[in-house]
C-alpha cells in the first residue's frame, strides 16, 4: 500500500491539493486562488476552466513539494464548494456559462415562482431545504433559460450538470474521453433535487424546474472507488475514492460520528453541522436537513445544518473594498486596540440572510454609530458578527434537536483568530475547541478516500488521529453576554425589507 492519500479541496476562493500521511498529518500543500467574478450586484461567478487548471497545478505543486509521485498515492478524495453549479457540454468539455456560485442571488424570481402559493417550504419535507437562491437547482434553470441554445442542447442530452465535485471528477477521470459523471449523496442533497429518504433524484421536482434528468450525475456514496485518474494525467490509475461537500468533509475530519456531536467551520461563510445519526430531523427553526455522509454500503448519516453566508468574506471585504488593512489577519490586531465594539454592530447580509432567517430581502448594515466609533471598533464589530450569527444557529439547533452541546469543535481559516475564538466561547457559553490539524475539510475527504481503499480501517482510525490543539472557556459575565446579544438581534432587524420589487 502506498504511503499517502491526496485530497483536492475545491473551495470558494481557491483550489488546494493536500497530501496526508497515515497519522492524518499534512505532508505538503499546493494552492491557487481563482477569480471572483461579479457581473452585477448580487451575482457571483467562477470560471470552471480556470478552476480545473488550478486543480491540476495545485496537485503538481503538492507532489513536487512532498517529493513523491503518483505511485506513492493510495487514493484521491475530493471536497468542494457546495451548491456552485457548473453546466458543460459533454462532447466538447466546455462550460456553457460560468459557474454560478452558492452566494449568488440572481435566482430569487425563479425561487418565488417555484414556491407559488405554497411558499419556501414547498419541497422541504422531501429535500430538507427551503426554496432559496442558495441551492443548485434554480441555478441550473437560470442557465437553461438564459444561455442561448442551452435548453435545446440539454434536451438533446448534450449538457451535464454538477457541483464542482462532479466537474473535477469528470475531468480527472478522462473528460470527453470516458470521464465519469458522478456525485455523492452530500452534494446531491444540496441541489433541491434529491429525495433524502431514497437518495435518488426526484423526477417531479426536476420537471418543475425544467431540468432534464439526463443532465444530472449518478448519485454514489461518499466513500467508494469512482474511477481511476486519467492516463497521461498527474495521477494516472490512482483511484479517486472519496467525495464530500466541504462542510460534510469538515464534519468527517472532526470525527463527529456520534449523534449530538457538532462542528463549526469558519471560512468564506460559517457552517455548523450537528450529527443526528440515521434519523432525518426536520427543522422548525430555520435550519437545513442534509446528508452528513455515507460510507460505502453503510446507512446514510444525517445532519442538521446552519448556514451563514458571510463571515470570513466580510473580513476580505474590509480589506479589498474599504482598504482597512493589507492582510486579513490584521483585523485582529486592529480589533485588539479597543476594549469593545463601541456600540457598533455589523450585520453582513450581503447576500441576504441565511439561517435561521432566510431573508433574501435583507442587505448589510452597520448600525449603532456615534462619533466615538472608529475603524478599530468596526474591525471588532466585524469579528463579533461571526460569533453572534453562530450563536443564533446553535440556539436553533438546540430547539430542533433538544441537544445542548457541551463544547463546539471549530475549524477553518478564522480559528487562528484568538480574539474571535474567545468571544465565540463567551457568546455560546460552552468551550470552543480547535484541533491540531485545522485543515479538516481536506482531511475529511482524504479519510473518505482512504477508507474506501483500505488505507484506513474506518471511522475508528479517524477518531484515533483527532487531537486537541487549543480550548477556549467562557469568561464573560452573563448579563453582559445577554446585553450584547440583545443589541445584535435588534441590529439584524434593521436589515430586513431592504430589497423592493423594483430593486436589482
Amino acid at each position: 500500500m502506498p504511503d499517502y492519500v491526496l485530497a483536492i479541496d475545491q473551495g470558494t476562493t481557491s483550489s488546494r491539493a493536500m497530501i496526508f500521511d497515515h497519522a492524518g498529518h499534512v505532508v505538503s500543500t499546493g494552492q491557487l486562488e481563482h477569480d471572483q467574478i461579479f457581473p452585477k450586484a448580487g451575482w457571483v461567478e467562477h470560471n470552471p476552466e480556470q478552476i480545473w487548471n488550478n486543480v491540476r497545478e495545485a496537485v503538481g505543486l503538492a507532489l513536487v513539494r512532498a517529493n513523491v509521485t503518483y505511485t506513492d498515492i493510495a487514493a484521491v478524495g475530493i471536497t468542494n464548494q457546495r451548491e456552485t453549479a457548473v453546466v458543460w457540454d459533454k462532447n466538447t468539455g466546455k462550460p456553457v456559462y460560468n459557474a454560478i456560485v452558492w452566494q449568488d442571488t440572481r435566482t430569487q424570481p425563479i425561487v418565488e415562482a417555484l414556491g407559488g402559493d405554497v411558499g419556501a417550504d414547498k419541497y422541504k419535507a422531501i429535500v430538507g431545504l427551503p426554496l432559496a437562491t442558495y441551492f443548485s437547482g434554480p441555478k441550473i434553470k437560470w442557465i437553461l433559460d438564459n444561455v442561448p441554445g442551452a435548453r435545446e442542447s440539454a434536451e438533446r442530452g448534450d449538457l451535464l450538470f454538477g457541483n464542482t465535485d462532479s466537474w473535477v471528477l469528470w475531468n480527472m477521470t478522462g473528460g470527453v474521453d470516458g470521464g465519469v459523471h458522478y456525485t455523492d449523496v452530500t452534494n446531491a442533497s444540496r441541489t433541491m433535487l434529491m429525495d433524502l429518504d431514497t437518495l435518488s433524484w426526484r423526477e417531479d421536482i426536476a420537471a418543475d424546474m425544467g431540468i432534464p434528468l439526463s443532465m444530472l450525475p449518478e448519485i454514489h456514496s461518499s466513500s467508494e472507488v469512482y474511477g481511476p485518474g486519467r492516463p497521461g494525467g498527474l495521477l494516472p490509475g490512482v483511484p479517486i475514492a472519496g467525495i464530500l461537500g466541504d462542510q460534510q468533509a469538515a464534519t468527517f475530519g472532526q470525527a463527529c460520528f456520534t449523534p449530538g456531536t457538532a462542528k463549526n467551520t469558519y471560512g468564506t461563510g460559517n457552517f455548523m453541522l450537528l450529527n443526528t445519526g440515521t434519523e432525518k430531523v426536520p427543522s422548525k427553526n430555520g435550519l437545513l436537513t442534509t446528508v452528513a455522509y455515507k460510507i460505502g454500503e453503510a446507512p446514510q448519516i444525517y445532519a442538521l445544518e446552519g448556514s451563514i453566508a458571510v463571515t470570513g468574506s466580510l473580513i476580505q471585504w474590509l480589506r479589498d473594498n474599504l482598504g482597512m488593512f493589507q492582510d486579513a489577519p490584521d483585523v485582529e490586531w486592529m480589533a485588539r486596540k479597543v476594549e469593545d465594539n463601541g456600540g457598533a454592530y455589523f450585520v453582513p447580509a450581503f447576500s441576504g440572510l441565511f439561517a435561521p432567517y432566510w431573508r433574501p430581502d435583507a442587505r448589510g448594515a452597520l448600525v449603532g454609530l456615534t462619533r466615538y466609533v472608529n475603524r478599530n471598533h468596526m474591525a471588532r464589530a466585524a469579528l463579533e458578527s461571526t460569533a453572534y450569527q453562530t450563536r443564533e444557529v446553535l440556539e436553533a439547533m438546540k430547539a430542533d434537536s433538544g441537544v445542548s452541546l457541551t463544547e463546539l469543535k471549530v475549524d477553518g481559516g478564522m480559528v487562528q483568530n484568538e480574539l474571535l475564538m474567545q468571544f465565540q466561547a463567551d457568546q455560546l457559553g460552552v468551550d470552543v475547541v480547535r484541533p491540531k490539524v485545522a485543515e479538516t475539510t481536506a482531511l475529511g475527504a482524504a479519510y473518505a478516500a482512504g477508507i474506501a481503499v483500505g488505507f484506513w480501517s474506518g471511522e475508528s482510525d479517524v477518531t484515533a488521529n483527532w487531537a486537541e490543539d487549543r480550548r477556549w472557556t467562557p469568561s464573560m459575565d452573563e448579563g453582559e453576554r445577554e446585553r450584547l446579544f440583545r443589541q445584535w438581534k435588534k441590529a439584524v432587524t434593521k436589515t430586513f425589507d431592504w430589497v423592493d420589487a423594483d430593486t436589482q
Side-chain angles (χ1 to χ4, degrees):
M1 176 71 69
D3 294 328
Y4 308 107
V5 171
L6 185 145
I8 293 168
D9 181 358
Q10 200 300 290
T12 304
T13 58
S14 69
S15 298
R16 291 186 299 177
M18 302 186 75
I19 295 174
F20 295 93
D21 63 16
H22 195 270
H25 297 146
V26 179
V27 176
S28 69
T29 301
Q31 182 171 4
L32 290 96
E33 292 190 358
H34 53 263
D35 295 335
Q36 304 298 309
I37 305 165
F38 307 105
K40 297 182 182 180
W43 292 29
V44 189
E45 298 177 0
H46 295 153
N47 180 338
E49 292 184 289
Q50 182 188 27
I51 285 174
W52 170 231
N53 288 335
N54 286 358
V55 164
R56 286 185 290 178
E57 187 170 347
V59 168
L61 287 170
L63 292 172
V64 168
R65 289 168 179 170
N67 195 28
V68 300
T69 70
Y70 70 91
T71 60
D72 299 298
I73 305 299
V76 178
I78 298 171
T79 183
N80 61 293
Q81 52 169 325
R82 306 168 304 169
E83 304 97 12
T84 294
V86 185
V87 174
W88 69 96
D89 190 309
K90 70 179 184 182
N91 303 305
T92 66
K94 297 291 186 182
V96 302
Y97 190 78
N98 277 338
I100 301 182
V101 180
W102 58 272
Q103 301 156 310
D104 190 285
T105 60
R106 78 183 70 184
T107 57
Q108 186 57 35
I110 292 173
V111 164
E112 291 172 358
L114 286 168
D117 295 335
V118 180
D121 289 344
K122 183 175 181 180
Y123 306 120
K124 192 171 184 182
I126 300 169
V127 302
L129 313 172
L131 271 163
T133 60
Y134 182 22
F135 307 111
S136 310
K139 297 181 175 71
I140 307 170
K141 177 174 170 55
W142 188 94
I143 290 173
L144 297 183
D145 288 348
N146 289 276
V147 175
R151 181 162 296 283
E152 292 78 9
S153 294
E155 290 172 353
R156 285 197 306 269
D158 290 336
L159 299 190
L160 303 178
F161 151 77
N163 292 336
T164 58
D165 66 303
S166 296
W167 169 245
V168 170
L169 177 67
W170 187 79
N171 279 291
M172 287 190 73
T173 54
V176 295
D177 296 319
V180 298
H181 186 218
Y182 295 168
T183 191
D184 89 303
V185 289
T186 68
N187 275 285
S189 74
R190 314 300 293 192
T191 61
M192 298 202 72
L193 298 168
M194 189 189 81
D195 188 311
L196 282 182
D197 292 316
T198 64
L199 306 185
S200 58
W201 300 120
R202 287 288 296 227
E203 187 172 357
D204 53 344
I205 299 177
D208 285 353
M209 297 189 191
I211 299 170
L213 289 178
S214 61
M215 294 182 68
L216 304 181
E218 193 173 299
I219 300 172
H220 286 252
S221 79
S222 308
S223 179
E224 62 179 85
V225 175
Y226 311 112
R230 65 160 77 199
L234 290 170
L235 300 163
V238 178
I240 299 156
I243 300 175
L244 287 160
D246 52 9
Q247 304 313 319
Q248 287 93 335
T251 305
F252 204 82
Q254 285 275 38
C256 292
F257 300 131
T258 306
T261 53
K263 70 86 200 177
N264 196 31
T265 298
Y266 296 72
T268 303
N270 266 34
F271 303 88
M272 188 186 298
L273 269 73
L274 173 74
N275 183 322
T276 63
T278 55
E279 180 185 4
K280 183 185 73 173
V281 177
S283 176
K284 299 178 181 178
N285 294 279
L287 302 179
L288 311 176
T289 304
T290 196
V291 180
Y293 58 89
K294 185 180 190 303
I295 302 303
E297 297 298 321
Q300 65 267 28
I301 301 299
Y302 294 102
L304 282 171
E305 176 175 333
S307 307
I308 303 166
V310 178
T311 54
S313 55
L314 172 59
I315 308 306
Q316 293 174 323
W317 183 83
L318 293 177
R319 179 193 67 190
D320 299 338
N321 290 43
L322 299 190
M324 282 180 55
F325 39 80
Q326 287 189 323
D327 297 305
D330 291 342
V331 69
E332 182 175 8
W333 174 77
M334 292 180 65
R336 286 189 180 275
K337 288 187 172 184
V338 291
E339 294 184 358
D340 53 37
N341 61 17
Y345 290 81
F346 211 140
V347 186
F350 295 163
S351 300
L353 289 169
F354 283 13
Y357 298 100
W358 298 104
R359 292 291 297 258
D361 60 308
R363 286 296 179 268
L366 179 60
V367 301
L369 297 182
T370 63
R371 291 192 66 183
Y372 171 71
V373 173
N374 59 38
R375 64 180 192 159
N376 298 318
H377 293 110
M378 290 176 60
R380 192 174 186 110
L383 288 177
E384 289 182 354
S385 73
T386 296
Y388 293 131
Q389 291 180 96
T390 297
R391 177 175 171 182
E392 289 183 309
V393 166
L394 186 64
E395 292 188 349
M397 283 189 171
K398 180 179 178 181
D400 274 337
S401 67
V403 174
S404 296
L405 294 186
T406 57
E407 64 181 25
L408 180 67
K409 292 180 176 180
V410 299
D411 54 70
M414 292 181 81
V415 301
Q416 303 305 319
N417 189 310
E418 300 200 354
L419 176 66
L420 170 59
M421 291 297 99
Q422 181 59 56
F423 190 77
Q424 185 69 87
D426 289 339
Q427 274 300 306
L428 297 182
V430 300
D431 285 6
V432 169
V433 185
R434 182 177 70 196
K436 283 189 175 179
V437 178
E439 303 297 346
T440 54
T441 301
L443 182 58
Y447 280 139
I451 289 171
V453 299
F455 186 84
W456 287 291
S457 61
E459 289 98 315
S460 59
D461 280 354
V462 180
T463 302
N465 281 350
W466 190 93
E468 179 178 320
D469 174 53
R470 176 75 192 275
R471 178 179 295 262
W472 290 267
T473 299
S475 60
M476 182 178 287
D477 173 77
E478 180 70 16
E480 177 67 1
R481 172 178 178 256
E482 295 306 320
R483 183 189 70 82
L484 291 171
F485 191 59
R486 185 187 74 242
Q487 291 292 107
W488 162 262
K489 298 284 278 188
K490 185 190 299 184
V492 170
T493 65
K494 308 304 179 186
T495 70
F496 295 164
D497 299 314
W498 188 259
V499 177
D500 297 323
D502 60 350
T503 304
Q504 293 294 321

